[in-house]
Amino acid sequence: MFEDIGNLFHGFSVVVQPFNLLLMVVGIVLGVIVGVLPGLGGANGVAILLPLTFSMSPTSAIIMLSCIYWGALFGGAITSILFNIPGEPWSVATTFDGYPMAQQGKAGEALTAAFTSSFVGALFAVIMITLVAPLVASFALRFGPPEIFSVYFLAFCSFVGLSKEPPFKTVASMMVGFALGAVGLDQVTGQLRLTFGFESMLGGFDFLIAVIGLFGIGEILLTMEEGLSFRGKAAKISMKVVLKTWMELPKYWMLSLRSCLIGCWMGISPAGATPASFMSYGIAKRISKRGKNFGKGEIEGVIAPETAAHAAGTAALLPMISLGVPGSPTAAVLLGGLLIWGLQPGPLLFVEQKDFVWGLIASMYMGNIVGLIIVLTCVPLFAAILRIPFSVIAPIILVLCAIGAYTVHNNTFDVIMMMVFGVAGYFMKKTNYPLAPMVLAIVLGDKAEEAFRQSLLASQGGLNVFFSNGLVSTIMTLGLIALFWPIIQNTWTRIRGSSPEPRAAE
């Protein structure tokens, strides 16, 4: 424990270097802009801006990208409260009470409550990561190929069984991702697969090209089709309003703690920030004495979803850095970034790359503090972005995507593939097929396949290797439970529903 504290302070010494502090501020500002622009999203923003970090050291790069993520988490609340337009999916629940508060002239109070609650949720999750991640990583160092595959199996099954999306669509999206991840050179035999004679496909589909296309281009095409017109309330946050709201927030400490716990649980599992915000809002509405006022401008209706969303968004990084398994689409993009920089996410990071891991954790503390200060002081500027016509913003984003795709390998084929993935992402969004499982499969598919085949080679083809000891059996069983959870849940509900009611006393 004391060694971990020492490592954390060393991480702070890395973060406070002037260049890294500058990247932190730039990342937060870019992230807030990403969060303010409806539909762009944290995962999209990180994917589009990832090429900017290729010339940086891994530590500086992850500081900037993680701060883009924190900024996007903060930025989504601005449009939700002022314009009733959720900048992020997890900000939808914030509109229920945030926008009515703005309509009543309480925009400053709503924004202060949202930003402060976001900060509290993220801080709670970062403290949890600081305490838990080294323990999980040290435990995971004992993993062999069967255990590694079982962790990937659990991640894939969790996306299928615990996701809010239809299981068939999730599996279909994941299968496409596995197929795309298999293109190129077989890591075990050295043979070419699915290249169809094209030399450009010898290296497979680059993860970054797929992500920029699926998330960035796909979202822009969809938004262009739907059209956007922004109308909302102006906002100015004075120090008097901030202090007044801060004096009021301690009354809701129990609500904040409950939302933090919900968010952390939903973030570690692949459920994500959006279900966490809705669950926290629903439970708060049910428990609160003023539950009937929810939807009419109740401050508790802002605190609950924002706290849970930020706790979930931050906690999603725990399985990424300790096990190499992302807990959210944005974490999957960040994981892809680690691979591009030559780092292997997982428990060995804590042994081989201490500066990187503890610099990242320290940047979580610093980034959220810097983010809170920036959003509290610059709300009018960020809100003014929505006055720019989307017809101006969309081409700029498209150009940034194309530049980002080209800089990966300096190859025009990548730009063409980016557009192909963009069209595919557009149709997937139109038909409500989730993108996150496909991204997860592209990133982890080849690694899961490699661990699976190594396990079978060691066991001479026997599948019992995946139930050969208590650890791997437990993880595989959890994966199967997660996979069949909807069936288990429905069966249990039917059993309870068909049980005879106790006869009333005469």
Side-chain angles (χ1 to χ4, degrees), residues 69-242:
Y69 185 28
W70 312 142
L73 286 168
F74 278 115
I78 297 175
T79 50
S80 297
I81 292 170
L82 298 183
F83 296 88
N84 202 28
I85 300 172
E88 303 285 353
W90 54 78
S91 299
V92 172
T94 307
T95 64
F96 299 158
D97 284 275
Y99 187 65
M101 286 184 70
Q103 296 290 92
Q104 297 164 17
K106 298 179 182 177
E109 289 91 331
L111 288 166
T112 303
F115 296 150
T116 308
S117 301
S118 300
F119 172 76
V120 169
L123 181 63
F124 185 94
V126 175
I127 293 172
M128 180 205 67
I129 290 174
T130 306
L131 298 175
V132 175
L135 300 176
V136 175
S138 61
F139 176 70
L141 281 172
R142 295 183 288 175
F143 283 20
E147 288 80 9
I148 293 172
F149 173 77
S150 67
V151 171
Y152 291 144
F153 179 75
L154 175 59
F156 297 138
C157 290
S158 298
F159 261 86
V160 175
L162 301 180
S163 172
K164 65 181 186 299
E165 306 291 345
F168 171 79
K169 291 187 174 182
T170 304
V171 171
S173 176
M174 195 173 286
M175 291 300 112
V176 173
F178 286 136
L180 293 173
V183 174
L185 195 67
D186 187 332
Q187 297 295 324
V188 177
T189 65
Q191 294 180 334
L192 294 175
R193 302 187 298 190
L194 303 174
T195 58
F196 302 105
F198 290 99
E199 293 183 7
S200 302
M201 296 173 65
L202 294 180
F205 291 112
D206 194 283
F207 156 79
L208 184 58
I209 305 300
V211 168
I212 292 176
L214 289 170
F215 284 98
I217 303 296
E219 191 63 51
I220 291 298
L221 292 176
L222 194 66
T223 309
M224 287 168 64
E225 180 192 37
E226 294 172 351
L228 279 177
S229 58
F230 304 127
R231 295 189 304 272
K233 293 288 179 182
K236 206 171 189 179
I237 299 182
S238 65
M239 184 55 68
K240 182 180 178 181
V241 171
V242 172

Side-chain angles (χ1 to χ4, degrees), residues 254-379:
M254 191 64 195
L255 170 65
S256 295
L257 179 60
R258 183 173 65 244
S259 300
C260 286
L261 293 172
I262 292 171
C264 286
W265 168 247
M266 300 294 275
I268 293 172
S269 70
T274 304
S277 64
F278 278 101
M279 181 185 291
S280 183
Y281 183 87
I283 293 174
K285 184 177 181 179
R286 196 174 305 140
I287 294 176
S288 174
K289 296 177 181 177
R290 293 184 292 276
K292 292 182 179 178
N293 293 332
F294 273 53
K296 300 176 182 177
E298 186 62 50
I299 195 169
E300 290 178 68
V302 174
I303 295 171
E306 285 294 315
T307 306
H310 270 241
T314 307
L317 298 181
L318 170 61
M320 185 199 80
I321 59 176
S322 57
L323 297 174
V325 176
S328 70
T330 309
V333 177
L334 290 174
L335 184 142
L338 301 191
L339 298 175
I340 289 170
W341 303 319
L343 300 176
Q344 180 60 50
L348 285 175
L349 272 181
F350 285 83
V351 178
E352 299 172 350
Q353 301 287 342
K354 284 188 177 181
D355 282 3
F356 175 84
V357 172
W358 290 103
L360 170 59
I361 293 175
S363 76
M364 295 182 190
Y365 287 98
M366 293 288 293
N368 279 286
I369 294 171
V370 172
L372 180 64
I373 295 170
I374 288 175
V375 292
L376 283 175
T377 53
C378 302
V379 163

Side-chain angles (χ1 to χ4, degrees), residues 48 51-52 212 397-408 415 418:
I48 291 169
L52 295 178
I212 292 176
I397 297 174
L398 287 172
V399 170
L400 287 175
C401 288
I403 293 171
Y406 182 79
T407 53
V408 175
V415 180
M418 176 201 72

Side-chain angles (χ1 to χ4, degrees), residues 20 53 66 114 119 202 212 291 301 322 375 386 472 484:
N20 288 338
T53 65
S66 62
F119 172 76
L202 294 180
I212 292 176
S322 57
V375 292
L386 293 182
V472 70
F484 295 110

